[in-house]
Amino acid sequence: MEQREVHSDIYKYCKAELLVNNYFHAVFETTKGVADRLRYLADLKTDGGALVSEAFSSTKPMLIINNFTTETDISEHKGFANLLIGFFGMFRNTTAHIPKTNWVMTEQDALEIMTIASLCHRKLDKAHKIR
């Protein structure tokens, strides 16, 4: 993870799990960490897709990650919202609703998922509240 220079918030949420090579729970904590940070930035209480849809609405966003003025800006904004919704649906919801014995989490998969989470945190670093 150090070679990938992942965002420092990754360690904040899952360092204990990584130290014992518990990749399933490291991924779970990592995904919850992205949601926690998004809730904090948007000052919302919702979760998952509802949280993302409210925070990054394409018509009345609460948060933006760029100037949100050009077609490209708006496309990036919508794409980031879609990425977050997919991230929560594929990784957070899966780890929350099935036992780890039913979903083998390899070290490689965990590293790649945490790299996606790192990208999300870097984008959230740029986020600013507009309403």
Side-chain angles (χ1 to χ4, degrees):
M1 295 214 349
E2 290 173 2
Q3 290 176 337
R4 292 172 186 243
E5 297 181 20
V6 297
H7 194 279
S8 61
D9 279 4
I10 299 297
Y11 300 109
K12 174 181 170 183
Y13 292 102
C14 71
K15 185 176 181 180
E17 291 77 14
L18 287 174
L19 289 173
V20 295
N21 298 329
N22 184 343
Y23 302 120
F24 180 90
H25 285 104
V27 165
F28 190 32
E29 294 304 314
T30 297
T31 60
K32 292 190 300 184
V34 173
D36 183 60
R37 185 153 182 235
L38 180 52
R39 265 192 299 281
Y40 172 78
L41 290 171
D43 194 26
L44 293 169
K45 304 278 188 249
T46 54
D47 197 23
L51 170 63
V52 175
S53 294
E54 189 171 358
F56 287 104
S57 164
S58 58
T59 55
K60 294 178 85 174
M62 298 180 78
L63 295 173
I64 56 175
I65 58 168
N66 53 36
N67 292 328
F68 200 71
T69 54
T70 67
E71 189 175 316
T72 300
D73 288 346
I74 294 167
S75 181
E76 179 187 26
H77 177 90
K78 289 177 182 178
F80 183 57
N82 288 332
L83 173 66
L84 286 171
I85 289 169
F87 179 76
F88 293 140
M90 184 168 182
F91 304 119
R92 199 280 315 273
N93 292 353
T94 306
T95 53
H97 297 290
I98 65 167
K100 69 179 183 176
T101 56
N102 292 356
W103 187 23
V104 176
M105 179 62 63
T106 66
E107 179 181 15
Q108 185 67 38
D109 286 349
L111 289 172
E112 291 176 2
I113 293 165
M114 286 186 235
T115 301
I116 295 168
S118 179
L119 172 67
C120 293
H121 279 295
R122 290 188 202 291
K123 291 292 184 184
L124 291 174
D125 285 345
K126 298 176 184 179
H128 52 281
K129 200 167 186 177
I130 60 171
R131 68 173 174 104

